[in-house]
Amino acid sequence: MTQPPVTQPPVPEPRVAEPPDMEPFDLCGPLPTGTTLLEASAGTGKTFTVAGLVTRYVAEGRARLEEMLVITFGRAASQELRERVRGQLVEAERALTRGAPDDPSDLLALLLDADPEELQRRGQRLREALAAFDAATIATTHQFCQLVLRSLGVAGDTDPGVTLVDNLDELVVEVVDDLYLQRFGQLPGRPPFNRDDALTLAYRAIGDPQARLIEPEADPASPAAERVSFAHACRREIEHRKRRLGILSYDDLLSRLADALERPDAPARQRMRDRWRLVLVDEFQDTDPVQWQVIDRAFTGHATVVLIGDPKQAIYAFRGGDVVTYLTA
C-alpha cells in the first residue's frame, strides 16, 4: 500500500520593509541638507550630478572646495571624478566671467540667474576653488582614511617601521600553505577539503574581516566545523604575521579609523567635522559596514551628507559591500 505524499506547509514570503517614498531629484532645485540619499540607475548622470553639486555649493557660497569631502571607490573612479569636477568648475567660471554659451545647460542657466554683484561673487568663488583645486579631497575611501589617520598620528605610514600594502594575497597564500600542511599533511586519509578550497575559504574570511564565522551545530569533527576552524586559524595567523612583518592592509586603516571614532567625544570626530562640512559619497551601494560606520560616526547630524548609489549595481559583496548597509544607512 502506497503512502500518500507528505506535503509541507507553504513557506510564507519574507516581509521586506518598503523604502521611504522617493522624490525625483532636480540638480537645479534646493540643495540637499542633512543626510540625503540619491538613488540613480546606470546612465542617469551620477558623476555629472556630483560635479554639479560641488559646483553649486561652491558658486553659491554654501561651502568652500576645501570644506568638501568627495569619496568614491577605486583609484580610476576617483581620478575620473576629480577631472569631471574640475571640468564643471571651469565651465561654470567661464560662463560667469566671459558670458554664457549660446545654449547653456540648466545648471549654467541657474548659476547665471542672479544680479551682477552676485554673479561677480560667484565667479570669484569659482576662481578661488580652481586656484586651490589641488587641495580638494576627492579620494577613495582608503585614501581618505589614510589622510585622516595621518593627521591623527595613527596611520600605518606614520608608525615606525610599518608599511601599508595594497593587498595581502601573497601572505594569504603563504599562510594557507603552512596551515594546510600543518593540519592535514600527516593525515592517513583524505583531508576534509582540498588546498584550493582552503585558499578560497581564507580569501573570503580575510577579505571580509567583519563577517562572522558561525560555528556549526554538527559534530566538531565534521567538514563544516573543520572549515570554520581553518578560517579562524587563517585570520589569527594573518594578524600574527602582519605584526611580525610590520605591515598594514587598507582594511586595517578602516578599522583603525572606526576605532578612533568610536567614542562620542573622540577627538577624531571633531577634527573631521572641523575640516569637512559637506560629504558626498559616490557609488554608495558598494560601501561596507565599516566604511559606513566611519562616515556615520564622523558626520551624521553634523555635516551635509549626500549618498549617491544604485543597489542594482552592487559589485563588492565579496569584500563586505552589500545592500544591507545601503538600506540601513
Side-chain angles (χ1 to χ4, degrees):
M1 182 176 180
T2 59
Q3 296 290 331
V6 177
T7 58
Q8 298 291 339
V11 178
E13 291 291 328
R15 299 186 63 183
V16 180
E18 292 293 329
D21 292 338
M22 305 287 277
E23 299 178 1
F25 176 69
D26 181 4
L27 180 58
C28 297
L31 284 169
T33 58
T35 298
T36 302
L37 170 67
L38 302 182
E39 191 168 288
S41 299
T44 56
K46 286 187 293 183
T47 306
F48 176 82
T49 298
V50 174
L53 284 171
V54 171
T55 301
R56 278 197 63 189
Y57 279 110
V58 169
E60 296 175 26
R62 301 285 289 273
R64 300 190 308 276
L65 188 61
E66 60 266 29
E67 295 175 320
M68 300 184 193
L69 170 62
V70 184
I71 301 172
T72 189
F73 290 85
R75 294 182 181 180
S78 68
Q79 184 59 36
E80 179 189 0
L81 186 57
R82 192 176 189 88
E83 293 170 358
R84 292 286 292 275
V85 168
R86 190 179 189 284
Q88 190 66 265
L89 292 171
V90 168
E91 184 181 21
E93 191 275 334
R94 287 176 177 171
L96 287 165
T97 57
R98 305 179 190 180
D102 294 336
D103 187 20
S105 65
D106 292 343
L107 175 61
L108 291 181
L110 175 70
L111 295 178
L112 291 164
D113 186 16
D115 61 63
E117 291 184 359
E118 175 60 17
L119 290 177
Q120 187 174 6
R121 285 192 292 268
R122 290 180 179 182
Q124 181 61 29
R125 293 171 190 141
L126 291 167
R127 282 192 296 275
E128 291 174 356
L130 287 167
F133 190 77
D134 287 344
T137 310
I138 303 174
T140 67
T141 306
H142 293 126
Q143 289 170 337
F144 152 66
C145 288
Q146 191 174 8
L147 174 66
V148 174
L149 288 169
R150 188 182 302 162
S151 72
L152 297 173
V154 291
D157 58 352
T158 62
D159 292 348
V162 174
T163 303
L164 184 65
V165 296
D166 287 334
N167 64 70
L168 299 170
D169 290 354
E170 291 185 7
L171 187 59
V172 171
V173 172
E174 178 184 302
V175 165
V176 167
D177 286 343
D178 290 348
L179 291 180
Y180 193 81
L181 185 61
Q182 175 186 325
R183 288 190 169 214
F184 308 125
Q186 302 300 321
L187 281 183
R190 175 178 294 183
F193 47 89
N194 62 36
R195 187 265 183 189
D196 289 343
D197 289 340
L199 187 59
T200 299
L201 183 63
Y203 275 133
R204 294 182 65 180
I206 295 165
D208 188 1
Q210 68 269 7
R212 293 170 54 210
L213 303 177
I214 301 176
E215 301 291 343
E217 296 180 1
D219 179 359
S222 68
E226 290 279 9
R227 287 172 178 269
V228 173
S229 175
F230 189 81
H232 277 300
C234 287
R235 281 184 171 178
R236 289 193 299 269
E237 187 62 20
I238 281 286
E239 292 304 314
H240 171 72
R241 296 194 189 192
K242 283 193 299 185
R243 288 192 296 271
R244 190 185 71 195
L245 296 170
I247 62 177
L248 287 176
S249 69
Y250 285 111
D251 283 327
D252 293 325
L253 291 182
L254 277 169
S255 297
R256 284 189 173 205
L257 184 52
D259 290 344
L261 295 167
E262 185 173 8
R263 298 195 331 270
D265 62 344
R269 292 194 183 199
Q270 192 57 51
R271 188 169 299 187
M272 291 170 69
R273 293 164 188 169
D274 290 342
R275 176 161 183 178
W276 293 295
R277 296 175 46 215
L278 174 66
V279 182
L280 294 97
V281 184
D282 193 19
E283 305 295 350
F284 182 66
Q285 74 276 356
D286 290 320
T287 296
D288 69 34
V290 180
Q291 292 167 342
W292 170 240
Q293 198 174 60
V294 166
I295 296 166
D296 186 35
R297 287 175 175 176
F299 300 115
T300 297
H302 298 274
T304 296
V305 180
V306 183
L307 312 171
I308 304 170
D310 176 11
K312 298 187 295 297
Q313 296 186 67
I315 62 173
Y316 286 120
F318 67 88
R319 50 170 281 288
D322 56 42
V323 174
V324 174
T325 301
Y326 179 95
L327 294 177
T328 299

